[in-house]
Amino acid sequence: MQLSHVFNQRAWPGAGDVDDCTQVSGLQLVNTVAPWLPLVDIPTARRAAGDPDDGNADGGTQAELLRMLRTLYPSLAPLFRRVDGCELRYLRRHVDEGRPVSVALIGAKLPTRLRFGFTGSHRCTIARASKGAPVRFANPLAPVYSDWQATTWAQLAPALEAHAGKGRANVILGPTVAEAIATQPDVRAALLALEGARLEARAVALRDASAAVAALR
C-alpha cells in the first residue's frame, strides 16, 4: 500500500481556487492501492466528475467523486463504492481489510494537528496498511508530499459524524491492493515472477548451505 506522501490540493497541477479537496482525495485513494495507474490534473478530474470549477466552495459531492473515479479508472470502476451514512463500525472494518476510503468531514471537529487551519466541510483520505498498523490520515491541505499522519478512530469520529450524523460517515470505498492487482494482468504476472525469483534464490541459498555443511563432515 502506497502511504509515503500526501497530495496537496493547492499545489496539484491545474489547481485554481483552493476547493479541490474532493478531486485530490480521490486521486490519493487510487494511488494508495494502484500506484501504476496515471494521475491527472484538476481540470481533467473535474471533467470526469461532471463538475467544472465554476466558483468558490465547489469541492464536489459523493456522486461526483464516484463518477470521477469510475470514469478515469474503468478497470477499477466496479470496485469503487459510495456509502452515504456508513456506520462507523463498518467503516473501520473496511479500512482494516485494507480498503482506502475518501471521507467527507468537518474540519473544525478534527484535532488541531490534523486540520491545517481549515474548519469547514472538507474531504480527506484514510487508510491502514494492515489491521495491526496505525490508522493513517491524508489531509490534502497538509504540506506537499508530507507523511500521512498517524491517528485513531476516536480522533476522527467527531469530524466524520459532524458531516454525516451520529455514528456515521459519508465515504467512497476503494479496492484493496489485491483487488486492484487482480484487474491488471501485466502487474499480476510481474509480481508472480518476482515472487518466483525470490523463492528460487532462497532454494539456491539453502542448497549451497547444505552443501557447505556436508563438506565439513
Side-chain angles (χ1 to χ4, degrees):
M1 185 173 279
Q2 169 63 271
L3 301 175
S4 60
H5 53 258
V6 177
F7 297 163
N8 179 281
Q9 70 190 75
R10 293 187 177 97
W12 198 257
D17 49 332
V18 186
D19 60 359
D20 300 315
C21 59
T22 298
Q23 293 73 36
V24 173
S25 177
L27 295 171
Q28 183 96 65
L29 180 151
V30 171
N31 186 255
T32 298
V33 293
W36 59 84
L37 291 175
L39 300 170
V40 301
D41 61 19
I42 295 298
T44 302
R46 282 188 172 274
R47 282 195 298 272
D51 180 29
D53 196 357
D54 51 10
N56 292 320
D58 185 29
T61 66
Q62 288 263 98
E64 289 167 345
L65 177 54
L66 184 63
R67 186 183 306 122
M68 181 195 100
L69 293 170
R70 288 179 170 174
T71 300
L72 292 175
Y73 303 105
S75 64
L76 301 181
L79 302 175
F80 298 118
R81 287 181 54 206
R82 167 188 169 187
V83 187
D84 299 329
C86 178
E87 291 187 36
L88 291 183
R89 57 177 176 156
Y90 292 123
L91 175 60
R92 291 194 295 269
R93 184 181 301 173
H94 288 305
V95 174
D96 285 347
E97 291 172 350
R99 299 183 189 284
V101 296
S102 176
V103 297
L105 53 81
I106 301 299
K109 298 296 184 179
L110 287 170
T112 301
R113 70 180 183 88
L114 299 179
R115 82 176 63 145
F116 296 97
F118 185 68
T119 58
S121 182
H122 195 34
R123 186 169 283 274
C124 301
T125 313
I126 303 170
R128 196 175 196 178
S130 64
K131 188 172 182 179
V135 176
R136 296 286 180 180
F137 184 75
N139 185 333
L141 291 173
V144 178
Y145 300 137
S146 57
D147 292 337
W148 289 56
Q149 293 174 282
T151 186
T152 65
W153 288 113
Q155 291 178 331
L156 295 176
L160 301 174
E161 292 176 322
H163 196 282
K166 183 67 175 176
R168 298 185 179 275
N170 293 323
V171 306
I172 300 293
L173 303 174
T176 66
V177 172
E179 288 171 343
I181 289 173
T183 69
Q184 308 291 320
D186 292 342
V187 174
R188 184 173 59 214
L191 290 175
L192 288 172
L194 285 172
E195 179 64 10
R198 185 187 70 81
L199 292 174
E200 177 62 24
R202 183 179 179 186
V204 169
L206 288 173
R207 287 198 299 269
D208 290 345
S210 297
V213 170
L216 294 174
R217 291 176 180 172

